[in-house]
Amino acid sequence: MTPTNLLDFDLPQLTDWIQSLGERPFRARQIFRWIHREGCEDFAAMSDVAKSLRAKLAEQAIIAAPRVLRDSVSRDGTRKWLLDVGGGNAVETVFIPERSRGTLCISTQAGCALECAFCSTGKQGFNRNLSTAEILGQLWLANRLLGAAKTEGDWDTTEGPDNGRVVTNVVLMGMGEPLANFEAVVRALRVMLDDHGYGLSRRRVTVSTSGIVPAIDRLREHCPVALAVSLHAPNDALRDRLVPINRKYPLRELLAACQRYLERAPRDFITFEYVLLAGVNDEPEHARELVALVRDVPCKFNLIPFNPFPGAPFARPEEGRIRRFAAILMEAGLVTTTRKTRGDDVAAACGQLAGQVRDRTRRSRGGEPIIFPQRAS
């Protein structure tokens, strides 16, 4: 019998599974806290759980996160793990330490099918969605590894949250499109937010999407956390080239979904991410178009100067162009930040994550690209 990986369960699911063993529901809360609050993988160490149940768990269950293949640390303290998810696939997870917080960037798919032109992950092709255990296991593993480093004095650049954990914020901005793996992602989010689990607030958990409109509406109904939208262009013609899913869900539909999402969002704004590509989308007229585009959507902009990767057809704009672009947005009253590049010396910066993907789309082997349906003219 294949053992059940308890990292695949949110608390209601774990409760049902525990009851199927003939145990009382409160035992699930005990086990859940041991797994997620304590980072425990040894059932024998769960001291307040009955010995008879510990014996059942040892026979029928495991607590298994992806295996670390490579652990890289940048000169700026950013840490990147390459994690084995089986079948010849490996994904990357990045931890970004700052004085007042520690942010973990999590992957949700092995590869990505959306083919955004400026993203290294998309160039690798797509293999499959990650399971909840593989998504949540990244946070579980990071807390264990970073907690050990902090205890040993190897890492002390953040104060950490009240519960002493090093990871205070989670962003689903790693490999893959989170909303294309909706069920597994939402289950993982619920564990992150659960007070018996990681106890993160909805404001400290961010899902980034390229703009799958129906899934944005579903997230609004099922688990509204902070939302970041990969915008990258101020008009449909340019966005069709840079973010091909725009051909299916154009800007008008995407911005309407953002407005609907704000009705239940934990923040009163949407974050628009905008990768600046030299000579492509960084002209002053592009900035002015953006101002007009988002005038009815409460938002802030996160400008991301392009981070090069091998074979990329784009370049990073000069600093003067970046500042000029940001100034136009700010002069129009839009809150605008320019993301500081972190971890680029270990290819951990935004857009650089690639991992290992056994491509099923034939794209990385020169096959035909995925074509989204064209909208009616």
Side-chain angles (χ1 to χ4, degrees):
M1 180 181 68
T2 303
T4 299
N5 191 348
L6 300 189
L7 287 178
D8 259 325
F9 292 154
D10 60 18
L11 184 54
Q13 289 174 316
L14 181 60
T15 301
D16 290 343
W17 188 81
I18 288 295
Q19 287 183 288
S20 77
L21 301 180
E23 301 288 341
R24 296 174 65 184
F26 80 92
R27 293 296 186 192
R29 293 193 297 275
Q30 290 178 314
I31 296 164
F32 199 74
R33 288 195 293 266
W34 275 107
I35 295 171
H36 300 293
R37 295 191 69 82
E38 303 299 328
C40 183
E41 61 180 341
D42 181 3
F43 297 119
M46 298 180 179
S47 55
D48 61 350
V49 176
K51 287 186 178 180
S52 59
L53 176 53
R54 281 185 266 169
K56 291 180 186 178
L57 293 173
E59 291 177 357
Q60 301 184 44
I62 56 173
I63 301 165
R67 181 172 62 93
V68 177
L69 296 175
R70 187 165 61 243
D71 185 343
S72 306
V73 181
S74 168
R75 57 180 171 264
D76 64 19
T78 299
R79 190 166 175 179
K80 182 178 77 169
W81 296 281
L82 179 69
L83 303 176
D84 182 9
V85 292
N89 298 298
V91 301
E92 294 184 324
T93 304
V94 176
F95 176 70
I96 305 167
E98 297 176 87
R99 176 59 58 183
S100 61
R101 63 183 178 181
T103 301
L104 189 70
C105 180
I106 286 178
S107 294
T108 56
Q109 296 179 309
C112 186
L114 298 192
E115 298 188 78
C116 294
F118 46 82
C119 179
S120 181
T121 302
K123 301 300 182 185
Q124 303 299 305
F126 173 77
N127 187 270
R128 65 174 177 85
N129 288 328
L130 299 187
S131 68
T132 296
E134 291 165 337
I135 297 169
L136 200 57
Q138 297 170 65
L139 175 56
W140 183 86
L141 185 65
N143 271 322
R144 280 171 58 93
L145 296 175
L146 294 167
K150 187 174 184 180
T151 299
E152 294 167 6
D154 295 332
W155 188 83
D156 61 354
T157 57
T158 186
E159 299 170 359
D162 293 339
N163 61 14
R165 291 207 186 89
V166 176
V167 176
T168 64
N169 295 62
V170 172
V171 294
L172 277 67
M173 296 182 183
M175 296 174 64
E177 163 58 58
L179 296 187
N181 186 13
F182 190 87
E183 299 299 337
V185 162
V186 166
R187 192 177 305 128
L189 291 175
R190 287 173 175 156
V191 178
M192 294 175 195
L193 301 175
D194 197 305
D195 286 339
H196 296 290
Y198 297 91
L200 297 170
S201 76
R202 293 178 186 272
R203 295 169 61 89
R204 289 182 175 266
V205 178
T206 302
V207 169
S208 176
T209 178
S210 294
I212 303 178
V213 167
I216 293 173
D217 288 331
R218 288 183 69 197
L219 187 67
R220 169 184 175 273
E221 295 300 318
H222 291 277
C223 194
V225 293
L227 186 68
V229 174
S230 297
L231 198 60
H232 311 309
N235 58 67
D236 283 320
L238 181 54
R239 196 166 191 266
D240 283 353
R241 289 170 46 207
L242 298 178
V243 187
I245 201 168
N246 193 73
R247 303 170 195 167
K248 188 171 185 179
Y249 304 114
L251 285 169
R252 176 180 53 80
E253 296 180 20
L254 176 57
L255 295 179
C258 290
Q259 290 174 311
R260 293 192 295 271
Y261 194 86
L262 283 169
E263 296 170 4
R264 298 194 180 182
R267 295 182 181 273
D268 57 1
F269 60 85
I270 300 291
T271 298
F272 287 125
E273 298 171 304
Y274 195 96
V275 172
L276 288 165
L277 308 167
V280 177
N281 66 351
D282 65 337
E283 301 290 345
E285 55 263 37
H286 292 134
R288 287 188 283 269
E289 272 191 276
L290 280 178
V291 171
L293 179 71
V294 303
R295 62 181 179 274
D296 296 325
V297 182
C299 63
K300 61 175 286 188
F301 272 89
N302 188 2
L303 302 181
I304 308 167
F306 177 66
N307 295 304
F309 56 85
F314 303 108
R316 179 189 179 99
E318 296 177 355
E319 290 301 317
R321 292 176 70 90
I322 295 171
R323 289 193 296 270
R324 181 174 59 178
F325 195 96
I328 292 171
L329 299 182
M330 289 187 288
E331 287 167 5
L334 295 171
V335 176
T336 304
T337 59
T338 301
R339 184 179 296 179
K340 180 181 178 182
T341 298
R342 299 289 301 269
D344 57 331
D345 57 317
V346 293
C350 181
Q352 290 184 323
L353 300 189
Q356 299 170 191
V357 179
R358 185 161 291 179
D359 182 29
R360 293 195 295 109
T361 67
R362 297 183 297 116
R363 189 189 324 149
S364 64
R365 299 189 296 277
E368 292 298 317
I370 296 172
I371 301 297
F372 290 96
Q374 301 289 323
R375 59 182 176 274
S377 57

